[in-house]
Amino acid sequence: MDWMIVLAFISQMVRISVPYTLAAIGGTFSERGGVVNIALEGILLNGAFTCVLATHYTGNPWVGVLAAVAGGVATASVHAVVSITFKAEQIVSGLAINLLAMGATRFFLRIIFGSSSNSERIAGLPEWDVPVLGDIPVLSTIFSSPLILATIVIIFASQFVLFKTSFGLRLRSVGEHPEAADSLGVNVSRVRYAGVLLSGALAGLGGAWLAMDQHSFTDGMSSGRGYIALAAMIVGKWNPLGAAGACLMFGAAESLQMQLQGQDVPTQFIQMIPYVATVVVLAGFIGRSIPPAADGVPYEKERQ
Amino acid sequence: MSSASEQSRRFQAARKLAGVIGVPAVAIAAAFAAGAVFILAIGESPVSVYGRLFSGTFGNFYGLGQVLFKATPLIFTGLSVALAFKAGLFNIGAEGQLYIGTFAVAWVGFTLSGLPGVLLVPLCVLAGAAGGALWGAVPGYLKSRFGAHEVINTIMLNFVAIALTGYFVTHVYFVPETVHTQRIAAQAQIPRLEQFWPVFKGSPVNVSLFLALGIAVAVYFFLWRTRFGFELRALGLNPAAAEYGGISVGAGTVLAMTLSGALAGLVGVDFVMGYKYYYEGGFSSGLGFMGIAVALLGRNHPLGVVLAAFLFGALSYGGLVINAVVPKELVEILQGIVILVVIAGTNVFGQLAASFKRGRPG
């Protein structure tokens, strides 16, 4: 067995799963608060676009990362207003936002960069020199990437925030039983807003990864990753560590698919893995995966 | 007393009509207003762009033919989503169902090429419906048997369908160097409208448009004039009460998803039998998702769906008309805004109406 191939496989798996993980954890925050977020796809796309735009104009990739987070939060805020304030159908809102993001990024891609396929090349983030971890062959590329390190921190921090802090408790309570939370003085709308906007920030950061990884924006570059993140969130049973694990698994499948490309193996069947896994998990064949009780249900405060 | 109740009934009817027509009208107006901002932002004139959009679509027969062509598959997917909605189910899987159905149409069309047209045409149509029905039945069954939510399952099955048909068209049935299958038999091809009305010359709009309109009428009769239809609507309004009334929720769920899938699968009649004459990988790019918008805007009523499909068809062809001046993606932005305003507006309108009612004496 050639170790270099194994290390290359692992490195590729990690890199593929970064945007999945950020979006899936974002989705977890949103849905734990009771708001279904199918807009992850559009948030990734808008995040990537604002990242490229900001980096292009300032020349500073860090500004680009901030812009991606801002773009993600802005996109998510549309979803929050429509589904929390207007109490509208959350799934349709998400789908409409995805359509809007697709159209808007293409529109501005053509206006700003004069191309219907891709932007100009942008500067990437600098690589960090991390002691010890940076000395491992091949894998050093993982530990030198600021966004990958940030993702690792985010995974554990999210798990902590969701289950060990009072904000996490409030968020889960408005997702499980908003009436009870309301009667205890929790502002249901405000906490749900926080969950959705947080999902926008995280998925927006995922968009920054896509843009930085490719050093440009290409049309439709989220290419279904938001939906895979949704799948990972479910397979991970609405918790950050689980979602990250599912993302690594999906990343491994995709990495395998890439290794097999060019050989006469029908890669479509490997492509199906995340989706089939989700259907199987939802049907309860591998442990039950139960969404938060009030997931997708707008909260109607009792009127006097 | 009778005049008071009469008045209240009229008020109810007027309110309902305002909700049905008012919200979509406001949504369309809002979308065009927002679109005008985008157009101004790039230094063009909204009046001239919208004028071009209108004259290019409804201003001449060629444009009209293209609009009808774009609307045909949207009628099928819109009806698909609307029928499921009526039964209280959210079918986001029309996209996957139409991929499977369309592939099935082509497969029957080139495999049973020895059959006479009088047999092959109906068989191809049935294959499309059956393929879609099968792909719709799966999430229906998973929901009734395991309680697995149809929204997530239909999303996942979309990707499985695209990968599966992708496999067929790249590894099993394909013309070398292409991503499409061989052509279906000549006797399975259905005529284009230009063959009867030369004014439509150059537009691929074909007789599947009449199938779509006929199916819309059939869906109306099914939902409002048959027992099964009544049961499905009862299920959509209140599943617990429906079950108490002796309706099987599980069977109804599977039936509704199966029929919904069948409607989506009929997209293949238009695409394969009337347009390309073969199956092509990745042909749809969102017809199923657009069906959700069409159903919403059409208030889940077959007549509304047909009208909404024409509107969205006009927008999607209109995008190509204005592309020289404004990027055609403008229409995707318009469509997205229409959907958002419709769903937000429906609720706001309901609340306004409710508060208005509360404010009234009695």
Side-chain angles (χ1 to χ4, degrees):
Chain A
M1 194 69 192
D2 191 338
W3 283 104
M4 290 312 256
I5 292 179
V6 175
L7 291 177
F9 174 82
I10 293 174
S11 151
Q12 196 174 32
M13 171 184 80
V14 171
R15 299 181 76 85
I16 292 170
S17 60
V18 168
Y20 294 163
T21 306
L22 290 169
I25 293 178
T28 304
F29 275 111
S30 177
E31 299 218 351
R32 278 286 182 171
V35 180
V36 172
N37 196 350
I38 293 186
L40 291 175
E41 177 77 7
I43 297 173
L44 277 171
L45 197 60
N46 277 350
F49 191 73
T50 48
C51 175
V52 167
L53 220 51
T55 312
H56 175 74
Y57 283 120
T58 64
N60 184 343
W62 291 108
V63 177
V65 172
L66 281 179
V69 172
V73 171
T75 312
S77 67
V78 176
H79 186 52
V81 169
V82 173
S83 55
I84 302 171
T85 305
F86 287 110
K87 302 181 172 62
E89 176 55 64
Q90 298 169 3
I91 293 155
V92 183
S93 165
L95 289 169
I97 287 169
N98 292 344
L99 181 69
L100 210 54
M102 194 77 160
T105 51
R106 268 190 202 149
F107 185 88
F108 288 111
L109 189 61
R110 279 184 53 185
I111 299 294
I112 295 168
F113 295 100
S115 155
S116 54
S117 58
N118 59 277
S119 73
E120 281 165 35
R121 196 178 159 81
I122 54 158
L125 287 172
E127 298 199 337
W128 281 350
D129 193 12
V130 180
V132 189
L133 293 173
D135 298 333
I136 310 169
V138 187
L139 290 192
S140 60
T141 60
I142 294 178
F143 298 110
S144 64
S145 157
L147 285 182
I148 293 181
L149 294 175
T151 304
I152 296 170
V153 173
I154 285 170
I155 294 169
F156 292 99
S158 300
Q159 186 77 13
F160 179 81
V161 167
L162 199 53
F163 295 102
K164 301 283 180 217
T165 65
S166 69
F167 168 71
L169 180 65
R170 277 189 211 150
L171 187 68
R172 285 182 291 126
S173 74
V174 300
E176 289 292 339
H177 204 313
E179 292 81 7
D182 192 11
S183 71
L184 291 172
V186 176
N187 185 331
V188 175
S189 286
R190 193 179 295 168
V191 176
R192 284 189 168 182
Y193 259 91
V196 175
L197 297 185
L198 202 49
S199 82
L202 290 171
L205 193 60
W209 165 269
L210 292 178
M212 292 298 176
D213 195 39
Q214 228 173 301
H215 291 278
S216 67
F217 180 87
T218 52
D219 177 38
M221 75 188 303
S222 51
S223 59
R225 286 185 177 86
Y227 294 104
I228 293 204
L230 211 60
M233 173 194 75
I234 295 164
V235 172
K237 301 186 179 177
W238 285 270
N239 91 56
L241 278 178
C247 290
L248 274 180
M249 192 174 85
F250 294 168
E254 210 177 310
S255 177
L256 182 68
Q257 178 198 328
M258 284 169 153
Q259 308 271 338
L260 292 173
Q261 223 140 44
Q263 301 172 41
D264 200 28
V265 182
T267 51
Q268 283 90 353
F269 292 100
I270 303 171
Q271 261 168 35
M272 288 180 201
I273 289 174
Y275 313 115
V276 173
T278 308
V279 172
V280 169
V281 168
L282 261 186
F285 293 127
I286 309 173
R288 204 88 181 93
S289 186
I290 300 165
D295 203 8
V297 187
Y299 179 57
E300 208 70 64
K301 202 176 168 83
E302 291 284 327
R303 284 167 200 270
Q304 273 76 37
Chain B
M1 175 155 173
S2 81
S3 93
S5 81
E6 172 76 7
Q7 202 183 355
S8 137
R9 208 171 58 234
R10 274 201 200 145
F11 173 69
Q12 291 286 340
R15 206 187 84 185
K16 198 177 163 197
L17 192 70
V20 167
I21 298 174
V23 173
V26 168
I28 294 164
F32 274 89
V37 176
F38 280 90
I39 297 171
L40 284 171
I42 60 168
E44 296 290 338
S45 146
V47 175
S48 105
V49 169
Y50 287 147
R52 198 183 267 246
L53 181 77
F54 192 79
S55 67
T57 48
F58 292 110
N60 60 72
F61 276 103
Y62 173 75
L64 184 64
Q66 294 288 8
V67 170
L68 296 175
F69 170 64
K70 293 279 185 188
T72 306
L74 295 178
I75 297 177
F76 288 123
T77 56
L79 289 172
S80 163
V81 176
L83 187 136
F85 257 137
K86 277 288 169 195
L89 295 161
F90 201 164
N91 181 14
I92 303 193
E95 186 77 1
Q97 292 145 16
L98 69 87
Y99 267 98
I100 299 288
T102 302
F103 183 80
V105 171
W107 187 83
V108 169
F110 63 70
T111 306
L112 305 178
S113 57
L115 292 177
V118 71
L119 280 178
L120 193 52
V121 167
L123 272 180
C124 283
V125 174
L126 281 179
L134 175 76
W135 215 248
V138 173
Y141 173 76
L142 289 170
K143 171 144 190 169
S144 73
R145 176 75 177 75
F146 302 105
H149 205 295
E150 79 277 5
V151 166
I152 301 297
N153 275 333
T154 50
I155 292 176
M156 298 302 143
L157 286 170
N158 282 340
F159 291 103
V160 177
I162 292 166
L164 189 65
T165 50
Y167 166 73
F168 284 135
V169 86
T170 53
H171 286 78
V172 191
Y173 307 101
F174 62 99
V175 175
E177 311 295 324
T178 72
V179 285
H180 61 76
T181 63
Q182 65 191 91
R183 282 177 160 241
I184 57 170
Q187 68 273 24
Q189 300 172 5
I190 56 178
R192 294 189 176 180
L193 296 194
E194 63 181 8
Q195 290 168 242
F196 313 117
W197 295 294
V199 287
F200 289 128
K201 190 154 182 53
S203 161
V205 61
N206 55 73
V207 294
S208 67
L209 172 66
F210 299 121
L211 177 70
L213 296 173
I215 295 277
V217 175
V219 168
Y220 173 79
F221 270 93
F222 171 75
L223 281 175
W224 278 276
R225 295 282 183 271
T226 69
R227 200 194 129 97
F228 276 134
F230 170 77
E231 294 190 352
L232 288 192
R233 285 186 301 124
L235 213 58
L237 287 173
N238 188 339
E243 185 151 46
Y244 190 70
I247 295 168
S248 162
V249 175
T253 300
V254 177
L255 176 70
M257 285 303 293
T258 305
L259 290 176
S260 177
L263 291 170
L266 289 174
V267 166
V269 177
D270 172 52
F271 183 79
V272 174
M273 297 168 74
Y275 177 36
K276 288 279 190 180
Y277 311 125
Y278 51 69
Y279 173 86
E280 186 174 34
F283 76 96
S284 161
S285 66
L287 290 170
F289 294 114
M290 209 54 85
I292 298 168
V294 167
L296 270 170
L297 194 63
R299 286 293 188 255
N300 301 318
H301 188 286
L303 177 63
V305 165
V306 170
L307 294 176
F310 285 141
L311 175 75
F312 274 63
L315 282 178
S316 72
Y317 177 65
L320 301 174
V321 173
I322 58 170
N323 200 28
V325 189
V326 177
K328 63 177 186 299
E329 288 72 26
L330 178 71
V331 302
E332 287 172 33
I333 299 174
L334 295 183
Q335 288 167 336
I337 295 173
V338 168
I339 305 169
L340 286 175
V341 178
V342 164
I343 57 171
T346 303
N347 244 308
V348 170
F349 182 81
Q351 278 164 9
L352 272 179
S355 68
F356 181 56
K357 206 176 165 193
R358 262 202 311 278
R360 282 162 57 93

